[in-house]
């Protein structure tokens, strides 16, 4: 394991959004009972928005119309190189049947159960950082 400190390079919004397309797993961060809550979800990126599916009893459904945070990363545990992207935006329920059907085809949840709700987070603020070796 390389123990040398890394440089933290800020990414542009475009670079950050591109990196989100390269992973399929992230975390939705929201407020539940006045406390921070985090839920892991698998996602796709469609027209710069984060799309994920969830079930009827999911706590994240209480965030519809509210600002949430989404975070995804890819950091190598040995080299300590990689990136992290955080975006903030409103959680919107997708209810149009044709759009829901499209996302049901494009996005297969990783957990069992009927994932009948589709949520879109359109980014208002995007922040990304990359851990790189000193040159």
């Amino acid at each position: 394991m390389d123990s040398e400190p890394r440089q933290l390079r800020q990414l542009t919004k475009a670079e950050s959004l591109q990196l989100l397309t390269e992973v399929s797993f992230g975390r939705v961060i929201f407020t539940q009972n006045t406390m921070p809550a985090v839920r892991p979800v698998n996602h796709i990126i469609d027209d710069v928005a984060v799309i994920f599916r969830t079930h009827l009893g999911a706590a994240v459904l209480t965030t519809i119309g509210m600002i949430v945070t989404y975070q995804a990363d890819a950091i190598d545990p040995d080299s300590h190189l990689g990136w992290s992207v955080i975006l903030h935006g409103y959680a919107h329920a997708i209810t149009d049947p044709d759009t829901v059907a499209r996302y049901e085809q494009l996005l297969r949840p990783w957990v069992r159960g009927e994932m009948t709700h589709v949520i879109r987070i359109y980014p208002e603020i995007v922040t990304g950082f990359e851990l790189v070796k000193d040159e």
Side-chain angles (χ1 to χ4, degrees), residues 15-130:
E15 289 172 321
S16 298
L17 292 171
Q18 175 58 41
L19 287 169
L20 283 180
T21 68
E22 297 175 10
V23 296
S24 59
F25 175 81
R27 297 148 203 90
V28 180
I29 300 108
F30 57 99
T31 302
Q32 183 180 32
N33 300 322
T34 70
M35 299 294 288
V38 180
R39 296 295 185 273
V41 297
N42 63 305
H43 71 263
I44 60 170
I45 304 300
D46 188 30
D47 191 28
V48 307
V50 174
I51 309 293
F52 65 94
R53 293 173 55 196
T54 192
H55 60 86
L56 181 59
V60 73
L61 285 178
T62 65
T63 68
I64 300 302
M66 302 174 89
I67 292 178
V68 298
T69 299
Y70 195 79
Q71 189 270 337
D73 54 47
I75 308 286
D76 184 273
D78 294 323
S79 69
H80 302 155
L81 300 173
W83 57 268
S84 180
V85 171
I86 299 169
L87 62 84
H88 308 279
Y90 288 92
H92 297 281
I94 297 174
T95 57
D96 173 68
D98 292 336
T99 306
V100 169
R102 178 173 168 260
Y103 288 131
E104 286 175 344
Q105 292 299 312
L106 292 173
L107 179 59
R108 299 284 181 206
W110 292 357
V111 296
R112 291 184 198 268
E114 199 169 339
M115 302 293 184
T116 56
H117 296 273
V118 180
I119 297 177
R120 174 188 291 133
I121 305 168
Y122 189 82
E124 300 284 332
I125 300 171
V126 179
T127 311
F129 294 94
E130 183 179 30

